[in-house]
Amino acid sequence: MVIFENDTGVCPNCDLGSAFQQQEHVRIWPQHYRYGWGSHNSPPQEGVWIDLTTISCLHCSKTVVYRDQFARVPVDDGAKTERRLIHRTLVYPALSPRELNKVVPEAIHSFFREASLCEQTGALRGASVLYRAAVEELIKDQGATGSTLYARIEDLKSGPAADLVDDFHEARMLGNDSIHDGLVYTAEEVEDIANLIDEATVVLYVQPAERKRLRQSRQYRRTKNGTGA
């Protein structure tokens, strides 16, 4: 997740941590005007507004554009209000969706990719449900049995995925809370689940595939050298 705070962050162009210089700051909704032209451009005292900010990376000099949604929220038991950032979206350059390693079965990869697209646009409940679906497909591929997803995850405790059971339950509950209770988790909480799933696929698919490749490589070398088994 790219977050620019205090004019610092990871540049999506050069992929390096950098400082940024603000080039332009424009309110695009509900009215359009540029900041800095007078006191009438101060943030509204109520309601919601959207700003578009253009910055440049001090490392690669390339442009980054992001959109902020702000709102006035009550504080001090409603006596006052304060400006609060509700959501930040990277506009340019567009982020690519998260991708799992190519050895991961496509059914898992498909749910994971679509969840990532929801995550990037701020549709966090949609992302939560689809990340849960990715885990459900992974559990199915691992051959777990049970009448519910909870039971199937628990069934993995006796296999190579035993250490991942708690992480799978986290993804399960994230999706359940989002679709059944309408709970919205933060972007960081959803991102953590995405990372947990990615790490789980490394353990269950990527590392075994790499070990198999190296075993085959060693066997080929032995055969070629005439040393046999």
Side-chain angles (χ1 to χ4, degrees):
M1 184 66 65
V2 178
I3 300 175
F4 300 100
E5 188 174 2
N6 298 323
D7 296 322
T8 62
V10 176
C11 177
N13 292 298
C14 63
D15 202 30
L16 294 174
S18 180
F20 295 82
Q21 182 176 6
Q22 191 171 120
Q23 301 295 334
E24 189 174 47
H25 192 42
V26 181
R27 187 174 308 154
I28 60 174
W29 191 86
Q31 300 89 21
H32 179 278
Y33 51 75
R34 301 176 189 275
Y35 280 86
W37 288 2
S39 59
H40 64 285
N41 288 345
S42 60
Q45 294 305 305
E46 59 182 15
V48 176
W49 67 98
I50 299 175
D51 291 348
L52 199 66
T53 302
T54 302
I55 57 179
S56 59
C57 173
L58 296 184
H59 179 79
C60 69
S61 300
K62 292 183 178 179
T63 297
V64 176
V65 182
Y66 60 85
R67 181 177 64 241
D68 285 340
Q69 179 179 336
F70 292 97
R72 284 283 179 184
V73 297
V75 294
D76 295 338
D77 296 326
K80 298 189 298 183
T81 63
E82 67 177 16
R83 184 184 75 160
R84 184 169 298 174
L85 176 63
I86 304 301
H87 185 68
R88 173 165 291 175
T89 305
L90 183 66
V91 175
Y92 182 85
L95 285 176
S96 299
R98 299 178 187 272
E99 298 283 353
L100 299 174
N101 191 283
K102 62 183 180 181
V103 303
V104 177
E106 177 56 28
I108 303 170
H109 204 153
S110 177
F111 280 118
F112 188 84
R113 187 187 304 114
E114 191 170 343
S116 174
L117 291 171
C118 289
E119 180 188 356
Q120 289 175 1
T121 60
L124 297 180
R125 281 182 294 190
S128 300
V129 172
L130 286 166
Y131 280 135
R132 179 194 184 278
V135 165
E136 188 163 12
E137 193 63 39
L138 186 155
I139 299 303
K140 176 182 175 182
D141 187 69
Q142 290 294 308
T145 59
S147 59
T148 65
L149 180 56
Y150 176 90
R152 291 191 292 276
I153 292 175
E154 288 291 299
D155 189 51
L156 294 176
K157 286 185 173 180
S158 59
D163 292 340
L164 302 170
V165 165
D166 288 343
D167 292 340
F168 292 149
H169 278 309
E170 285 293 322
R172 176 185 61 82
M173 291 186 289
L174 183 88
N176 287 353
D177 292 343
S178 298
I179 195 169
H180 296 305
D181 300 324
L183 180 61
V184 180
Y185 285 92
T186 67
E188 290 76 16
E189 289 166 334
V190 174
E191 180 183 21
D192 181 57
I193 293 299
N195 290 333
L196 291 177
I197 296 171
D198 190 8
E199 292 165 6
T201 62
V202 170
V203 172
L204 296 175
Y205 296 99
V206 180
Q207 291 177 349
E210 180 63 10
R211 285 193 294 269
K212 179 179 179 181
R213 183 189 69 81
L214 291 173
R215 282 196 303 270
Q216 292 173 339
S217 175
R218 289 190 294 267
Q219 183 59 45
Y220 170 78
R221 199 171 305 281
R222 295 185 194 107
T223 302
K224 184 178 180 181
N225 195 52
T227 59

